[in-house]
Amino acid sequence: QVQLVESGGGLVQAGDSLRLSCAASGRTSSSYVMGWFRQAPGKEREFVAAVSWSGGNTYYADSVKGRFTISKVNAQNTVTLQMNSLKPEDTAVYYCAATPIRGGLTYRRKEEYHYWGQGTQLTVSS
């Protein structure tokens, strides 16, 4: 089992920056992929970014590429999501997710992730 706890959400203005953190505990290892998803009211949960825990390969949704950066801090079992140039359409509940590395992963489908945090709210005002 892996437990995930997000933090860092809040209310910001368009153009601001914010960093989300996800603390992982339990059976964490280098064989996991960590991802961030978000869900706006009335919409499906969508992929934001992912990172391979040991390899450092990163993946981004087109909507956030160039504005968001996912990073891992191995010593702290933490994954961060640095969000710059925030837009009102970034408003959502942001979820941290984890899944064991295995063949066939796209890293972008929520169905591929086994463990989820409780979510943290980000609101971007215009």
Side-chain angles (χ1 to χ4, degrees), residues 16-17 21 25-26 37 53 59 70 81 86 91-92 94 96 109 116-117 123-124:
D16 284 353
S17 298
S21 294
S25 61
F37 287 74
W53 190 258
Y59 310 84
I70 188 170
L81 184 68
L86 284 163
T91 295
Y94 283 71
C96 180
R109 297 180 65 243
W116 293 87
T123 303
V124 184

Side-chain angles (χ1 to χ4, degrees), residues 66-77:
R67 299 189 299 123
F68 290 11
T69 303
I70 188 170
S71 302
K72 55 183 178 64
V73 183
N74 283 342
Q76 300 174 12
N77 275 358

Side-chain angles (χ1 to χ4, degrees), residues 6-7 21-22 27-28 57 71 93 95 103 123 125:
E6 305 97 334
S7 61
S21 294
C22 173
R27 298 184 63 180
T28 57
N57 295 319
S71 302
V93 177
Y95 296 91
T123 303
S125 63

Side-chain angles (χ1 to χ4, degrees), residues 41-96:
K43 294 189 177 181
E44 292 285 325
R45 190 170 299 189
E46 65 175 6
F47 171 75
V48 176
V51 61
S52 178
W53 190 258
S54 60
N57 295 319
T58 56
Y59 310 84
Y60 295 96
D62 289 342
S63 58
V64 306
K65 198 174 297 183
R67 299 189 299 123
F68 290 11
T69 303
I70 188 170
S71 302
K72 55 183 178 64
V73 183
N74 283 342
Q76 300 174 12
N77 275 358
T78 297
V79 174
T80 61
L81 184 68
Q82 177 66 42
M83 305 180 292
N84 300 328
S85 302
L86 284 163
K87 305 175 181 180
E89 51 263 43
D90 294 319
T91 295
V93 177
Y94 283 71
Y95 296 91
C96 180

Side-chain angles (χ1 to χ4, degrees), residues 9 12 14 19 37 55 98-99:
V12 299
R19 186 172 67 182
F37 287 74
T99 192

